[in-house]
Amino acid sequence: MTSRRLRVFKRWMTSQGIQCSDALQFTDTPDNGISVKALYDLREGDVVANVPKLACLTVKTTSASSIIEEVGLGGYLGLSVALMYERSLGENSNWAGYLQLLPDKECVPLLWSLQDVDQFLCGTELHKTVKEDKTLMYEDWKENILPLMMSAPLMFSPEFFGIEQYFSARSLISSRSFDIDDFHGFGMVPLADLFNHKTNAEDVHFTLVSSDVESDDSTSQLNDVHPYDDESKCWNSPLDKVGSDSLENEANNADDTDSNSSDLRDDPTTLEMIMVKNVKAGNEVFNTYGSLGNAALLHRYGFTEANNPYDIVNIDLELVIDWCSSLFSRRYSRARVSLWRKLEYYGCDNENIEYFEISYDGEPQTELLILIYIMLLSEDAFNHFDLTISVSGNFSGVMLYQKGKSMWIEDSKIRKDVLLTKDVRKALVSLADMREALHGSSHLEEDLETLCGIQDNRKLYHSLMLRVSERTILKKLRSYAAVAGQLSTSERRSSLRKNT
């Protein structure tokens, strides 16, 4: 039986010109929320829905569009204001039938208390990131939304534009918005956000389709956006130049203003939903949010997946330096990193934090192996290496040592197995232990046992799933080092010869 909120949403879709195939069946359950199933067999290439751009909630289509432009808010801030404003209108919003279908907020870590973040995410990839997000989001609200509330309290009531409401809006944008086009930017796309995610199992695909048959490129992919990844799309202008009278006048004239410009009215494109594989009747129809590991899934959407092939674990450069400094000295470590830099090697970089990725299979990044190899060189070998680089200026490769003999291996010919000496493998195990210690005193087996009994606690379950995923990869890293140790000396020499 269709729930009342789904019936309201379907009537709203019809009023907005959204066309949806009868072959799609929407189900609404208390435990799992809304999902989409195939009522009949669906075949690859079937068009199952069309969504006009005017039905999407963006900074261009909202009735607050002129106000948002006047105060100079764009990107995630602008869309947040649009979403909060339409919610404040209640039944008077053009999107009332859609908004009543949305939850008040999503259970993403951004909305967790700091206590929960520290308790559930300690040691994981998200711990520092979420705390930084919360700080940045609060600053965004204080610098941009609060002045709006003070300038026009009747229009921007704390009931709808307070800090909690802003965080809730950001959680919905994080989990439900799509990149539409250059004009609209990204926005909320009704119907498109009802399909659940499944990694590597996309059944349906969203595209922009133009009615202009003369266009050489009539379709383009519709991607979901990741609002925490790029704050550079937000831009601000001083709000003290915008008087309260001006904003109140905008509010009074919002319904009389033709917010849909000629660019909107004449836009010939729609969002089309196309099946990309066959789906049998009765099966759920899945979208995919991208090739994302559990840290990204939890961060953006509030859930994780077991055995996610895109999972990774990051080992920060600082952790590698700490390991090296514990064996030698800080000065020694800096000198080895400096030589590694001369060879123009770098780790990954995010928010000025340099790190190395360990893949789902436990395989370390080559740059990490090269750094460890250099850190473990004898003093004579290191000085010889450093002198060779300074004299020759050769920055493409690494010098390998075998029984007192050195040979230069070009960057393109470096194989991981020749770097995996006994000491390097031992270092990998030590780094795995140091990285796992960040998760606390419990062990992987304990976490797995706990995981089995907490499915009903979404926050705890998914944060523990993330920790289990990371610890499993670190276990694989130790196995990777052990298996590499089984390579015989003759095989290692053979690998060296093949690379020279």
Side-chain angles (χ1 to χ4, degrees), residues 34-106:
I34 296 174
S35 59
V36 183
K37 293 185 178 180
L39 188 59
Y40 313 114
D41 288 350
L42 294 170
R43 297 189 177 279
E44 181 180 350
D46 288 349
V47 178
V48 292
N50 281 281
V51 182
K53 284 187 182 179
L54 285 178
C56 301
L57 176 53
T58 71
V59 294
K60 297 294 185 180
T61 60
T62 176
S63 51
S65 177
S66 59
I67 302 169
I68 293 172
E69 290 181 359
E70 183 174 354
V71 298
L73 297 181
Y76 311 118
L77 277 167
L79 185 56
S80 297
V81 172
L83 178 56
M84 290 187 290
Y85 184 77
E86 295 299 334
R87 279 184 152 183
S88 73
L89 297 179
E91 292 298 321
N92 293 322
S93 169
N94 290 333
W95 286 270
Y98 165 63
L99 295 177
Q100 60 85 36
L101 193 67
L102 300 183
D104 178 60
K105 58 188 176 183
E106 296 289 354

Side-chain angles (χ1 to χ4, degrees), residues 406-473:
S406 63
M407 58 188 71
W408 186 268
I409 305 295
E410 293 182 6
D411 194 35
S412 60
K413 296 181 180 180
I414 296 175
R415 284 174 44 177
K416 290 184 177 181
D417 54 359
V418 300
L419 298 169
L420 288 165
T421 64
K422 179 180 178 180
D423 289 338
V424 169
R425 289 184 281 107
K426 184 178 178 181
L428 289 175
V429 174
S430 296
L431 287 171
D433 292 343
M434 292 175 67
R435 179 63 179 81
E436 184 165 9
L438 299 177
H439 289 105
S441 58
S442 62
H443 299 287
L444 174 60
E445 291 71 20
E446 296 175 74
D447 286 346
L448 286 170
E449 185 176 344
T450 304
L451 193 62
C452 296
I454 58 171
Q455 284 86 348
D456 294 336
N457 188 331
R458 179 176 177 180
K459 187 185 300 183
L460 179 57
Y461 176 82
H462 290 297
S463 58
L464 189 57
M465 176 65 79
L466 174 60
R467 194 163 73 201
V468 165
S469 299
E470 292 185 358
R471 283 184 151 169
T472 300
I473 292 175

Side-chain angles (χ1 to χ4, degrees), residues 3 5-6 26-29 32-36 101 194-196 284:
S3 65
R5 63 175 186 160
L6 274 176
F26 302 94
T27 62
D28 190 2
T29 63
N32 300 315
I34 296 174
S35 59
V36 183
L101 193 67
L194 298 186
F195 292 80
N196 289 323
E284 184 170 357

